[in-house]
């Protein structure tokens, strides 16, 4: 335990005040013991994996912050009929796991290459990119149920997966989940070919028709290059990656609301509803890449008059809010509030934040 741990050192945004108690759990047994100890003491508990989807208050967290650091994966079965059933520990680095599945010729999650964070967090918001979501390949999630004080394993169906959503997220309050993910079981196909490539830009780059397969390793390399060009792969040398990835989800609205937008606003069917592009809305509400608050708009977001702001939209992507160096949580939130109210004013649509906000709000 270390009372001095600053949460800014544990998050991709590098913001957030101190943790009162900080505990690292490297095995499933250690995770359960630490959670039980905090719960028995009535101690507020924040679970943290890679810290890539968290915005934590400048005041820090007045309780125990538990870092999930369990490692490793194992194939429970592997045959040409049933494919590979692979269980990965919650604290294992997600991108390392994806890389290993490609090397083992297990197919299905290669399009999710380069997403930061831990494997155990992926079912929480049903991580997705390039037309792929973990909900498509997760077979089961083993959890610690804090309410029942017992292990509980969910099947895919029971997790109620939706766009950036799951039962695990729905039952999380202020970063404190009812169910702590211990491990995740993926059901993958065997072979060196990827799952069908659904995303048009990726298919074009790979030179395949949308809906066709590509070599998994080539797909992984292409996804990593595409993501890096948008500042979406963590890189200590690139300030555009000091973010939570997308700060807002793509809004899902009724057909009537979508019909009021200009014809060139991108839209996709989402059941009876319509999914819109948050990036397009932000850009067309007047916020360009690299936009930051200055001068009289926010004293907090600018270090000194004339100097670049401490926080701004990414210079590569309007959907990411970035720490340019020395930003505080309030700087990040000031940008988010301006963007959200600008989009509201222009289009009447309220953007919803994607990261988990702990001890703070928009
Ligand atoms: C540059 C960048 C690019 C990104 N690109 C994408 C993308 O393409 N698609 C996408 O979906 N996301 C993306 N993200 C967001 C983020 O990487 C994912 O949401 C990731 O799964 C978060 O993992 P983490 O371990 O860092 O979670 P954390 O940030 O540590 O935690 C996020 C939430 O999950 C909870 N949590 C973490 N571990 C557990 C556990 N074991 N049990 C229960 N709850 C837990 C936390 O309490 C918190 O509520 C991006 C982020 C960045 C910085």
């Amino acid at each position: 335990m270390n009372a001095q741990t600053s949460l800014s050192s544990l998050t991709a945004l590098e913001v957030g005040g101190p943790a009162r108690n900080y505990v690292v759990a490297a095995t499933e047994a250690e995770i359960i013991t630490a959670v039980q100890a905090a719960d028995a003491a009535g101690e507020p508990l924040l679970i943290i994996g890679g810290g890539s989807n968290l915005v934590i208050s400048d005041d820090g967290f007045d309780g125990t912050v538990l870092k999930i650091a369990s490692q490793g994966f194992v194939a429970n079965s592997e045959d040409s009929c049933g494919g590979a059933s692979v269980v990965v520990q919650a604290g294992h680095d997600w991108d390392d796991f994806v890389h290993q599945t490609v090397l083992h010729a297990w197919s299905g999650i290669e399009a999710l290459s380069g997403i930061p964070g831990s494997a155990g967090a992926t079912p929480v918001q049903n991580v997705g990119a390039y037309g792929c979501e973990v909900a498509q390949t997760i077979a089961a999630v083993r959890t610690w149920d804090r309410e029942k004080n017992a292990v509980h394993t969910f099947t895919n169906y029971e997790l109620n997966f939706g766009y950036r959503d799951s039962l695990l997220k729905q039952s999380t309050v202020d970063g404190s989940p009812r169910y702590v993910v211990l491990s995740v079981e993926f059901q993958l196909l065997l072979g060196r070919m990827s799952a069908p490539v659904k995303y048009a830009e990726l298919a074009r780059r790979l030179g395949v028709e949308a809906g066709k397969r590509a070599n998994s390793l080539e797909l992984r390399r292409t996804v990593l290059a595409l993501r890096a060009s948008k500042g979406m792969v963590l890189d200590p040398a690139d300030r555009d990656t000091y973010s939570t990835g997308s700060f807002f989800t793509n809004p899902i609205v009724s057909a009537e609301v979508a019909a009021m937008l200009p014809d060139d606003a991108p839209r996709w069917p989402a059941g009876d509803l319509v999914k819109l592009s948050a990036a397009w809305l932000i850009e067309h509400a007047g916020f360009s890449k690299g936009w930051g608050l200055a001068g009289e708009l926010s004293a907090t977001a600018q270090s000194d008059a004339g100097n670049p702001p401490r926080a701004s939209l990414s210079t590569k992507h309007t959907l990411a809010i970035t720490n340019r160096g020395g930003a505080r949580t309030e700087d990040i939130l000031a940008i988010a509030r301006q963007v959200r109210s600008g989009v509201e004013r222009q289009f009447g649509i309220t953007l919803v934040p994607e990261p988990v906000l702990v001890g703070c709000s928009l």
Side-chain angles (χ1 to χ4, degrees):
M1 246 180 233
N2 178 358
Q4 300 307 313
T5 303
S6 162
L7 292 166
S8 64
S9 65
L10 298 175
T11 56
L13 256 178
E14 290 198 352
V15 298
R20 181 154 56 72
N21 293 319
Y22 177 58
V23 180
V24 179
T27 63
E28 177 177 304
E30 285 180 19
I31 296 170
I32 294 173
T33 303
V35 173
Q36 279 184 309
D39 286 346
E43 172 88 349
L45 180 67
L46 171 64
I47 301 290
I48 188 163
S52 62
N53 212 27
L54 277 168
V55 182
I56 304 170
S57 148
D58 288 315
D59 294 336
F61 189 75
D62 190 17
T64 292
V65 175
L66 175 60
K67 163 94 175 166
I68 307 290
S70 48
Q71 299 295 309
F73 63 91
V74 64
N76 279 342
S77 63
E78 186 176 354
D79 62 70
S80 50
C81 216
S85 160
V86 188
V87 175
V88 59
Q89 294 304 309
H92 199 96
D93 178 75
W94 171 250
D95 188 53
D96 178 69
F97 177 61
V98 174
H99 191 194
Q100 294 298 327
T101 64
V102 171
L103 296 178
H104 281 80
W106 298 328
S107 159
I109 53 174
E110 51 287 333
L112 301 176
S113 292
I115 297 179
S118 61
T122 60
V124 174
Q125 74 152 3
N126 183 16
V127 155
Y130 299 105
C132 181
E133 292 178 337
V134 286
Q136 294 158 353
T137 45
I138 282 179
V141 176
R142 182 175 158 87
T143 68
W144 177 254
D145 179 349
R146 293 170 61 199
E147 224 166 276
K148 297 235 168 91
N149 212 26
V151 168
H152 183 89
T153 300
F154 289 98
T155 59
N156 179 304
Y157 176 75
E158 292 166 331
L159 285 162
N160 199 19
F161 282 123
Y163 166 63
R164 297 295 173 275
D165 198 21
S166 75
L167 173 76
L168 305 170
K169 185 169 175 180
Q170 292 148 19
S171 48
T172 293
V173 179
D174 230 13
S176 199
R178 167 171 174 181
Y179 301 102
V180 179
V181 176
L182 302 170
S183 60
V184 186
E185 180 186 346
F186 286 87
Q187 185 65 44
L188 303 169
L189 296 176
L190 299 190
R192 301 211 172 271
M193 296 301 276
S194 71
V197 183
K198 297 191 189 139
Y199 198 79
E201 186 186 8
L202 181 58
R204 231 181 359 261
R205 288 272 190 128
L206 286 161
V208 300
E209 246 176 76
K212 300 284 187 222
R213 299 170 194 274
N215 174 279
S216 292
L217 197 53
E218 196 188 335
L219 183 137
R220 173 174 163 80
R221 287 196 193 111
T222 308
V223 165
L224 288 174
L226 256 177
R227 293 184 65 93
S229 71
K230 296 175 181 174
M232 287 292 174
V233 182
L234 290 188
D235 174 359
D238 182 356
R239 292 308 304 187
D240 282 332
T241 73
Y242 289 65
S243 75
T244 58
S246 304
F247 197 93
F248 296 105
T249 55
N250 287 324
I252 296 182
V253 300
S254 67
E256 292 74 39
V257 170
M260 282 155 42
L261 293 172
D263 289 346
D264 61 336
R267 62 199 79 201
W268 305 272
D272 292 341
L273 301 170
V274 181
K275 192 197 274 187
L276 305 173
S277 161
W280 187 95
L281 295 170
I282 292 169
E283 276 167 40
H284 288 77
F287 304 96
S288 50
K289 291 171 187 160
W291 179 86
L293 287 170
E296 71 281 5
L297 284 174
S298 166
T300 60
Q302 192 184 38
S303 36
D304 289 304
N307 284 343
R310 295 193 294 263
S312 77
L313 298 184
S314 160
T315 67
K316 301 185 183 75
H317 203 303
T318 52
L319 209 38
I321 301 180
T322 61
N323 178 351
R324 313 311 298 182
R328 298 181 309 124
T329 305
E330 270 311 311
D331 299 325
I332 302 295
L333 296 176
I335 301 279
R337 288 184 192 115
Q338 290 281 329
V339 167
R340 189 180 61 171
S341 50
V343 168
E344 238 163 30
R345 259 195 318 276
Q346 183 76 23
F347 299 111
I349 292 170
T350 305
L351 295 177
V352 174
E354 183 183 302
V356 177
L357 273 52
V358 178
C360 55
S361 57
L362 281 196

